Amino acid sequence: MNPSKPILSFWFEFSSTYSYLSAGRIRSVCEREGIEFEWKPFLLGPIFKEQGMSDSPFNLFPTKGRYMWKDMERKTKKYGLPFRKPDIFPRNGLKAARITTAFLDQPWIEEFILEIYKLEFSQNVDISDKIALSNLLNSLGQNAEEILLLSESAENKELLRKNTEEASILGIFGAPSFIVNRELFWGDDRLEDAIEFLKRT
Amino acid sequence: MNPSKPILSFWFEFSSTYSYLSAGRIRSVCEREGIEFEWKPFLLGPIFKEQGMSDSPFNLFPTKGRYMWKDMERKTKKYGLPFRKPDIFPRNGLKAARITTAFLDQPWIEEFILEIYKLEFSQNVDISDKIALSNLLNSLGQNAEEILLLSESAENKELLRKNTEEASILGIFGAPSFIVNRELFWGDDRLEDAIEFLKRT
């Protein structure tokens, strides 16, 4: 990655439905547009707490929540992503976020991220379940036990906390969010605007 | 309007920033796409109250609010609409909504709607002010006094209340919203999806 070339930072949270939409299309969109992007895992929980919310806004505001599931059905269909409304929402994405944080430079991590989202939002799998995570990691040819252990190190936990702090400082209040040159774009539907902004600056 | 031909219903509220974006572009977008639409004024206040909110979410969640103003700056620029952040938000759009409800079939009403939004979001005008409303109506060649009087009739007030009730029944929780064949699309960024849906059905 050329540090002098501006890139798009994709801030995502595993429990977030709309992050799934962006995760599922960001690689192809960015390649088509000829721009670079980076995955930035963070946690929405502390960000929501800062705003006085103890749960997902889609649970706190059920009418909005009902709409969101309908919208997800339509959007996943449009983007060609598998979808099934999970029985429980939100799922706890902490372990998956820690794994992603610890192994962000690994060639298998992007597939890991996408598979986690698919397990969660098309196969009703509890993504905080160690067996589900191990199965996935093993299927990617990785040593699940070692990865889970390393991802729970104090150093790595702190790294994810720092990411979340950085998100808050950047003004991020939801996911997905895109940052280009410190400029914030929120929501899957702003990905194209963020790319346009990056190309102009 | 051909009643057998499906049309797009554009549910808007004068106090809503993102409704301004849609109001400012819906005519040209729908004409380009060859579809018909109707203006549906309603009130967000009762809809927010149903969700337990006593103010705009952009005031209740200030980080989100700060982002919204930045986003409005970018989007109005993109759409070629004048914009200046008003000193007070939200403004009270009740009187303007009543006028729109009472005179929805008048040829001047679309210009009235657009001018109200421009006064509010580019000229910092209090759109609940009777003098501002009168000046606008007079500038459109209308009898302001008569219009204001008629718009405050019990019958017309009831009509707007009914609109808002209908919005709630349709699952509307924010503005702008688009309804096509009872299917809800929320947000200016879903206008294209709503049109696509209308064309398919």
Side-chain angles (χ1 to χ4, degrees):
Chain A
M1 198 180 297
N2 182 345
S4 68
K5 193 181 168 189
I7 66 160
L8 185 143
S9 299
F10 169 38
W11 292 79
F12 65 101
E13 146 72 83
F14 281 109
S15 70
S16 147
T17 46
Y18 287 107
S19 294
Y20 170 39
L21 295 185
S22 298
R25 71 192 189 102
I26 195 161
R27 166 70 55 198
S28 64
V29 172
C30 286
E31 282 184 353
R32 194 176 58 224
E33 300 289 333
I35 67 157
E36 286 189 76
F37 75 96
E38 58 175 352
W39 301 89
K40 295 287 264 183
F42 77 113
L43 300 177
L44 268 181
I47 300 277
F48 282 162
K49 252 186 212 127
E50 279 178 4
Q51 298 173 72
M53 288 186 288
S54 56
D55 194 354
S56 163
F58 297 125
N59 291 336
L60 295 174
F61 306 106
T63 322
K64 196 173 186 171
R66 275 190 294 279
Y67 169 79
M68 180 274 286
W69 291 114
K70 179 77 196 174
D71 196 46
M72 278 297 292
E73 248 179 57
R74 292 189 302 230
K75 285 291 193 186
T76 48
K77 203 172 167 185
K78 187 172 176 174
Y79 294 157
L81 296 168
F83 177 71
R84 174 185 157 192
K85 182 180 182 296
D87 292 337
I88 294 168
F89 176 80
R91 298 285 191 187
N92 184 336
L94 179 61
K95 284 198 187 80
R98 282 181 178 158
I99 293 169
T100 309
T101 303
F103 296 92
L104 206 51
D105 59 350
Q106 294 299 304
W108 51 269
I109 201 68
E110 194 162 316
E111 201 175 346
F112 172 80
I113 294 169
L114 293 176
E115 288 305 317
I116 286 285
Y117 275 122
K118 286 182 186 171
L119 289 172
E120 183 182 12
F121 292 120
S122 77
Q123 294 178 49
N124 199 26
V125 169
D126 177 3
I127 56 161
S128 72
D129 178 50
K130 275 202 171 182
I131 295 171
L133 288 165
S134 295
N135 288 344
L136 172 56
L137 288 165
N138 288 331
S139 80
L140 296 173
Q142 303 309 311
N143 183 331
E145 211 174 329
E146 194 183 280
I147 286 173
L148 281 162
L149 195 70
L150 285 168
S151 74
E152 299 292 328
S153 74
E155 195 191 348
N156 188 56
K157 287 179 181 178
E158 181 59 17
L159 203 57
L160 180 56
R161 255 198 301 274
K162 281 268 160 69
N163 267 10
T164 303
E165 259 178 53
E166 192 190 340
S168 171
I169 290 163
L170 286 165
I172 288 174
F173 55 90
S177 287
F178 310 99
I179 300 274
V180 178
N181 286 340
R182 300 193 71 82
E183 181 111 350
L184 169 63
F185 297 82
W186 171 59
D188 174 68
D189 37 60
R190 289 296 185 275
L191 174 55
E192 281 71 16
D193 285 351
I195 289 172
E196 205 183 296
F197 182 81
L198 186 148
K199 287 182 152 186
R200 270 205 322 271
T201 54
Chain B
M1 197 182 293
N2 182 346
S4 70
K5 194 180 168 189
I7 65 162
L8 186 143
S9 299
F10 169 37
W11 291 79
F12 65 101
E13 147 73 83
F14 282 108
S15 69
S16 147
T17 46
Y18 287 107
S19 293
Y20 171 39
L21 295 184
S22 298
R25 71 192 189 101
I26 194 161
R27 165 71 54 198
S28 65
V29 172
C30 285
E31 282 184 354
R32 193 175 60 225
E33 300 288 335
I35 66 155
E36 285 190 76
F37 75 97
E38 58 176 353
W39 300 89
K40 295 287 263 182
F42 77 114
L43 300 177
L44 268 181
I47 300 277
F48 283 162
K49 250 183 216 132
E50 279 178 5
Q51 298 173 73
M53 288 186 288
S54 56
D55 194 353
S56 162
F58 298 124
N59 290 337
L60 294 173
F61 306 107
T63 322
K64 195 173 188 172
R66 274 190 293 279
Y67 169 79
M68 180 274 285
W69 292 113
K70 180 78 197 171
D71 196 45
M72 277 297 292
E73 247 178 59
R74 292 190 301 229
K75 284 291 191 186
T76 48
K77 202 171 166 185
K78 186 172 178 175
Y79 294 157
L81 297 168
F83 177 71
R84 174 186 156 192
K85 182 178 181 296
D87 292 337
I88 294 168
F89 176 81
R91 297 285 191 187
N92 184 336
L94 179 60
K95 284 197 188 81
R98 283 181 178 159
I99 293 170
T100 308
T101 304
F103 296 93
L104 206 50
D105 58 351
Q106 295 299 303
W108 51 268
I109 201 69
E110 193 162 316
E111 201 175 346
F112 172 80
I113 294 169
L114 293 176
E115 288 305 317
I116 286 285
Y117 275 121
K118 286 182 185 171
L119 288 172
E120 183 182 11
F121 292 119
S122 77
Q123 293 179 49
N124 199 27
V125 169
D126 176 3
I127 56 161
S128 72
D129 178 50
K130 275 202 171 182
I131 295 171
L133 289 164
S134 296
N135 286 344
L136 172 55
L137 288 165
N138 288 332
S139 81
L140 296 173
Q142 303 309 310
N143 184 331
E145 212 174 327
E146 195 183 280
I147 285 173
L148 282 162
L149 196 69
L150 285 167
S151 74
E152 299 292 327
S153 74
E155 196 191 346
N156 188 56
K157 288 179 180 177
E158 181 58 18
L159 202 59
L160 180 56
R161 254 197 302 272
K162 281 268 160 67
N163 267 10
T164 303
E165 259 178 54
E166 193 190 338
S168 171
I169 290 163
L170 287 164
I172 288 174
F173 55 90
S177 286
F178 309 100
I179 300 275
V180 178
N181 286 339
R182 300 193 71 84
E183 181 111 351
L184 169 63
F185 297 82
W186 171 58
D188 174 68
D189 38 60
R190 289 296 184 275
L191 174 56
E192 281 71 15
D193 285 351
I195 289 173
E196 206 183 296
F197 182 80
L198 186 148
K199 288 180 151 186
R200 271 207 319 272
T201 54

